[in-house]
Each structure stands twice: as C-alpha cells, then as structure tokens.
C-alpha cells in the first residue's frame, strides 16, 4: 500500500482535480484506491457526493473529522475502515474491471480539529513540547496502519492549501509527495517555499525522533520522496505552453524537485462540470481526445515514478 500526499500552499491550482482523476483512472485499471480528503473545503468529497447527500449520510458520523474526534488517549487508535465510503457513481463506472475507489470524506468543521491538535502540540512551542509530538503527527500513519496492507494498492491524500498541523501529519504518513501547480509567478514562489518547509519539517521531526527514540522506538525517520511538480491549467498555443508560462516552467525545473513531463491543460468546461456528475472527467464518455491523452500520459508517468522509487507497483 503506497501513500501519496498531494500538497501545495496555494489554492486554485487543480489539486483536487488532479487527485480525483489520478485515483479514478488507476481504479479503472483494476487497482484498489483509497482517497482521504483532509481539506476543510471538502472539494474532493463534493466531487463524489452532492452536498445534500453528504449532509444526510456522511456529515454526522462518517468523515475524517469524526475519526479524529474518536481518539481516546494516546494508546487507542480508532480504525479508519468504518469511515470509508464507496461513492456509487464512480464505482459503477470502474467495478467491471475489478478495481474500486473508497473515500474518507472531509468536513467543513475540520479546521476546529486542526486548532485542537495545534493546541495539543503547544502552539508555537512545538519544538520544546515533545510530549504530544508523535501523538499528533503519527495519528494518520497509525490510522492507515489499521488497514491490512493488501486492502488498498494506493492511498491518495488531498491536503489543505497550507502547511499546518494536518498537512504535516499527512507528510509524516506518506511515502511520496505530489505537488500540483499553475505555471505562474505566485505558484512558482509557493513551490520553492513549500520545499523549504518540507525539508525543515523533516529535519525537526527526525531530530525529535532521535531524542525520543527510547520512548518511541517504532517511529521511523521521515524522508518522503517528492514524486514531482505537475503543472496544471496550462494554456497552449501551437502545441506548446504559451510564452507567458514558459519562464515559470523553466524556473521550476531549477528547483530542488523533479518536474513531470506531462501537464494538464486548462479546461474549465470539463473539469469544473465534472463535480456536478460525481464522475471525474477521466471516466467521462464526453472527454475530448486530447484531454484524455494528457490524463492517460500523466497517470502513466505517475505510475512510472512510483515504480522507479524502488518498490514497484
């Protein structure tokens, strides 16, 4: 079971669209995929459920918020499986190939959980307050460990557009990081800052792990691999990204992270409209040939990069 966290400081970069389409396409080819929506905006959740369905069937007792709130002390890890839902529309489109897609839905009040966890850490004194450090940052990893390794082939975690406690918890639980971005100045600056924060958090985490190795002997050092930066919402002219975007793409290639060769074009009419059908555009019969090819190429590269990370797929 491989775990990929999809992260970016900036909202509006296609993070949820990328997560939903990668997951749905891999599930279509016979894999078991679990998605976890950690963003309080719940965009991934609403990609698969209408708001009224979420309100009636999930909001009260089947979201990641309720799972966090089910914790009772440091020694009890509530199982994640009761919180996994099976979105009906997308699974109806993929089950004939033996695959499946599960979702742990988000909640609009997930921000309250973040504040409570930050308070448990000690707020700004996090590096001095190690008593609850791994109780907080290991929660999602411990939750994923309640599954049998064969339950899912791939876990995709849609993170909030920040580097707060919940995003760092996802980083501590993942094997790989995927960074979607628009090819513009703000996104490029955000990527550079994100990489710096990731390195800083890994250093801090490993420092605490070394200091607390006697108390937490099972905690492994943190070293997630950045699979790459994926450019989304790309505008093309003559088969190439427009001139205004090319300098930002080249600048990203000079950062301390790989960049995917595959990119996703801007296509609001298809991507934005998919939320109303509860079916990612990659599974739609109406998808244009060019967009279908881009998504297929992107998923192929995603799988190759995971395979190249010495564990195979």
């Amino acid at each position: 079971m491989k775990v990929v966290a999809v992260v970016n400081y900036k909202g509006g970069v296609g993070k949820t669209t990328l997560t939903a389409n990668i997951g749905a396409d891999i599930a279509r080819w016979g894999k078991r995929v679990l998605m976890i929506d950690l963003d309080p905006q719940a965009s991934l959740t609403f990609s698969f459920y209408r708001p009224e369905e979420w309100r009636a069937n999930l909001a009260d007792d089947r979201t990641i918020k309720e799972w966090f709130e089910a914790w009772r002390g440091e020694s009890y890890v509530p199982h994640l499986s009761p919180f996994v839902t099976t979105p009906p529309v997308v699974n109806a489109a993929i089950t004939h190939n033996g695959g499946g897609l599960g979702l742990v839905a988000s909640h609009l009040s997930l921000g309250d959980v973040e504040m409570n966890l930050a308070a448990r850490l000690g707020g700004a004194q996090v590096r001095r307050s190690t008593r609850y450090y791994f109780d907080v940052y290991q929660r999602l990893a411990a939750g994923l460990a309640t599954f049998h390794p064969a339950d899912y082939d791939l876990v995709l975690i849609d993170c909030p557009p920040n580097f707060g406690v919940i995003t760092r918890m996802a980083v501590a639980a993942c094997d790989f990081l995927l960074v979607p971005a628009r090819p513009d100045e703000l996104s490029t600056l955000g990527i550079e800052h994100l990489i710096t924060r990731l390195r800083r958090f890994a250093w801090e985490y490993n420092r605490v792990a070394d200091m607390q190795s006697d108390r937490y002997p099972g905690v492994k050092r943190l070293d997630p691999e950045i699979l790459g930066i994926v450019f989304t919402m790309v505008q093309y002219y003559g088969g190439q990204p427009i001139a205004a975007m090319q300098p930002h793409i080249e600048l990203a290639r000079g950062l301390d992270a790989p960049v995917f060769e595959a990119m996703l074009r801007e296509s609001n009419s298809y991507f934005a409209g998919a939320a109303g059908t509860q079916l990612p555009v990659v599974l739609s019969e109406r998808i244009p040939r060019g967009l279908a090819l881009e998504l297929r190429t992107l998923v192929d590269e995603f799988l190759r990069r995971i395979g190249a990370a010495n564990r195979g797929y």
Side-chain angles (χ1 to χ4, degrees), residues 17-48:
T17 295
L18 189 68
T19 304
N21 281 278
I22 288 177
D25 198 40
I26 291 174
R28 171 169 59 176
W29 294 102
K31 298 298 183 179
R32 291 153 299 179
V33 178
L34 174 65
M35 296 184 177
I36 301 177
D37 190 355
L38 291 183
D39 191 340
Q41 297 178 60
S43 297
L44 183 64
T45 298
F46 296 137
S47 297
F48 298 105

Side-chain angles (χ1 to χ4, degrees), residues 12 19 35 39 75 95 114 130-131 133 150 158 162 183 195 223 254 293 310:
T19 304
M35 296 184 177
D39 191 340
S75 60
T95 50
E114 171 114 28
T130 59
R131 179 181 176 186
Y133 193 89
D158 191 15
N162 57 49
I195 293 170
D223 187 26
L293 179 61
N310 76 38

Side-chain angles (χ1 to χ4, degrees), residues 134-152:
F134 293 117
D135 171 51
V136 170
Y137 285 136
Q138 276 284 301
R139 286 195 180 194
L140 190 56
L144 290 173
T146 64
F147 293 114
H148 188 280
D151 285 346
Y152 295 100

Side-chain angles (χ1 to χ4, degrees), residues 131-211:
R131 179 181 176 186
Y132 299 116
Y133 193 89
F134 293 117
D135 171 51
V136 170
Y137 285 136
Q138 276 284 301
R139 286 195 180 194
L140 190 56
L144 290 173
T146 64
F147 293 114
H148 188 280
D151 285 346
Y152 295 100
D153 299 294
L154 175 68
V155 179
L156 291 170
I157 306 172
D158 191 15
C159 297
N162 57 49
F163 202 67
V165 172
I166 286 181
T167 298
R168 282 176 274 170
M169 192 187 305
V171 171
C174 76
D175 301 304
F176 310 106
L177 295 156
L178 187 66
V179 184
R182 295 181 64 172
D184 59 29
E185 185 173 9
L186 291 178
S187 288
T188 306
L189 289 173
I191 294 168
E192 189 171 13
H193 190 51
L194 174 64
I195 293 170
T196 300
R197 292 293 300 276
L198 285 168
R199 306 300 186 206
R200 176 69 184 181
F201 174 60
W203 174 86
E204 173 194 280
Y205 184 98
N206 292 332
R207 179 170 174 267
V208 177
D210 291 342
M211 291 190 303

Side-chain angles (χ1 to χ4, degrees), residues 54-311:
W54 172 85
R55 194 177 297 110
N57 303 321
L58 305 180
D60 291 338
D61 55 11
R62 295 196 71 188
T63 73
I64 193 69
K65 172 180 176 284
E66 280 65 43
W67 178 77
F68 278 122
E69 293 177 344
W71 283 73
R72 298 291 184 268
E74 297 177 34
S75 60
Y76 171 70
V77 181
H79 281 250
L80 258 174
S81 55
F83 298 88
V84 177
T85 71
T86 305
V89 176
V90 64
N91 278 284
I94 61 180
T95 50
H96 63 281
N97 284 327
L101 190 148
L103 172 71
V104 180
S106 188
H107 196 286
L108 304 179
S109 297
L110 189 57
D112 296 340
V113 172
E114 171 114 28
M115 289 189 292
N116 291 336
L117 291 170
R120 188 168 179 80
L121 277 170
Q125 303 301 316
V126 60
R127 286 187 291 277
R128 303 177 196 171
S129 181
T130 59
R131 179 181 176 186
Y132 299 116
Y133 193 89
F134 293 117
D135 171 51
V136 170
Y137 285 136
Q138 276 284 301
R139 286 195 180 194
L140 190 56
L144 290 173
T146 64
F147 293 114
H148 188 280
D151 285 346
Y152 295 100
D153 299 294
L154 175 68
V155 179
L156 291 170
I157 306 172
D158 191 15
C159 297
N162 57 49
F163 202 67
V165 172
I166 286 181
T167 298
R168 282 176 274 170
M169 192 187 305
V171 171
C174 76
D175 301 304
F176 310 106
L177 295 156
L178 187 66
V179 184
R182 295 181 64 172
D184 59 29
E185 185 173 9
L186 291 178
S187 288
T188 306
L189 289 173
I191 294 168
E192 189 171 13
H193 190 51
L194 174 64
I195 293 170
T196 300
R197 292 293 300 276
L198 285 168
R199 306 300 186 206
R200 176 69 184 181
F201 174 60
W203 174 86
E204 173 194 280
Y205 184 98
N206 292 332
R207 179 170 174 267
V208 177
D210 291 342
M211 291 190 303
Q212 299 289 320
S213 58
D214 292 340
R215 185 178 178 187
Y216 299 96
V219 174
K220 297 180 181 179
R221 290 176 62 84
L222 180 61
D223 187 26
E225 177 175 344
I226 299 177
L227 279 182
I229 300 162
V230 178
F231 281 111
T232 62
M233 303 182 181
V234 178
Q235 299 174 35
Y236 285 93
Y237 181 77
Q240 298 292 326
I242 62 172
M245 291 182 166
Q246 290 183 15
H248 303 297
I249 295 172
E250 291 307 312
L251 184 59
R253 296 187 191 282
L255 300 177
D256 187 22
V259 177
F260 272 61
E261 291 298 323
M263 302 178 189
L264 281 185
R265 71 181 62 217
E266 186 171 49
S267 186
N268 289 333
S269 58
Y270 286 96
F271 287 128
T277 66
Q278 290 78 60
L279 190 68
V281 68
V282 71
L283 301 182
S284 171
E285 295 180 354
R286 297 177 54 251
I287 183 172
R289 180 181 176 86
L291 184 57
L293 179 61
E294 286 180 13
L295 284 165
R296 181 69 255 170
T297 302
L298 174 62
V299 172
D300 285 345
E301 185 173 357
F302 174 87
L303 293 174
R304 285 199 307 273
R305 285 174 181 260
I306 287 181
N310 76 38
R311 272 165 276 198

